[in-house]
Amino acid sequence: MVEPGPDEGELHTILRAGARVPDHGKLAPWRFILFRGEARAQFGAELARIHAAAQPGATEDQIAFEANRLTRAPVVVAVVSRVTPGIKIPEWEQLLSAGAVCQNMLVAATALGFGAQWLTEWYAFDGEVNRVLGLGENEKIAGYLYFGSESVAKDERPRPELSDITSNWTPAR
Ligand SMILES: Cc1cc2nc3c(=O)[nH]c(=O)nc-3n(C[C@H](O)[C@H](O)[C@H](O)COP(=O)(O)O)c2cc1C
């Protein structure tokens, strides 16, 4: 994705849409970390460092690829899922709410005319990256959401036939 990305007001709209999701128990079991401007390359430098340490055989090209991950779009938002264990609201529901946050943001960005993509990739599941991000014990990355203008039109992918995934419930005999 290329410039322009969402400006301050548009990003605010996207984030507000993200924060306006079904949330059982009013827990707000999520938070957002923004990567804009130089912060994208600075975070990329951390990814390159962590990748190089974990993969001593990594080539310079591979390390450069990691360094440039977040510069693939003008704005990246990490949606952090923050689960409170041992309360009345099941953890499953708290996690689902974080998924709804991601989808609402994609829909909002698309409605504003931007490209929007939900990626996880390895750096959503890495303890050292989580430390760099300052994630707490009960926090996980739900997704890195990439926003910008589409440089190429997206290919449509096969979608399931509704008839394959839909049924009418009937009582057991
Ligand atoms: C939680 C989650 C993580 C995803 N992570 C990746 C990923 O790491 N790499 C990838 O190519 N697609 C990933 N996807 C798929 C893309 O977000 C998206 O479905 C795909 O680009 C097609 O977009 P569309 O369904 O809006 O057309 C992920 C989707 C979800 C829901």
Side-chain angles (χ1 to χ4, degrees):
M1 278 175 242
V2 295
E3 298 283 352
D7 65 18
E8 200 67 28
E10 290 162 333
L11 184 58
H12 185 77
T13 300
I14 292 166
L15 297 174
R16 291 264 302 167
R20 174 60 183 87
V21 288
D23 167 16
H24 191 179
K26 296 191 283 261
L27 298 170
W30 16 259
R31 63 186 180 95
F32 315 140
I33 303 174
L34 313 183
F35 300 89
R36 292 181 284 178
E38 278 186 12
R40 294 168 304 152
Q42 288 163 342
F43 184 62
E46 296 281 7
L47 296 185
R49 175 183 65 74
I50 294 165
H51 178 75
Q55 309 279 338
T59 65
E60 275 186 23
D61 280 358
Q62 286 165 341
I63 293 170
F65 183 79
E66 298 305 337
N68 288 319
R69 287 241 185 221
L70 270 70
T71 55
R72 293 176 296 178
V75 176
V76 181
V77 176
V79 174
V80 178
S81 152
R82 185 182 48 213
V83 163
T84 306
I87 59 170
K88 193 181 85 179
I89 314 301
E91 290 184 31
W92 169 236
E93 295 187 2
Q94 299 178 49
L95 293 167
L96 286 172
S97 184
V101 167
C102 295
Q103 180 63 13
N104 256 24
M105 286 198 199
L106 296 186
V107 170
T110 304
L112 289 168
F114 292 105
Q117 194 168 16
W118 180 348
L119 298 180
T120 43
E121 305 181 314
W122 69 269
Y123 49 97
F125 306 102
D126 186 275
E128 176 64 4
V129 174
N130 287 356
R131 195 192 61 73
V132 167
L133 289 171
L135 264 53
E137 230 177 73
N138 295 328
E139 292 188 321
K140 278 187 189 156
I141 294 294
Y144 290 93
L145 307 183
Y146 284 69
F147 300 118
S149 299
E150 282 177 351
S151 52
V152 285
K154 259 202 323 195
D155 286 339
E156 184 53 330
R157 52 164 62 184
R159 308 287 172 176
E161 288 297 331
L162 281 184
S163 56
D164 290 341
I165 57 167
T166 309
S167 59
N168 291 299
W169 182 81
T170 51
R173 284 176 204 174

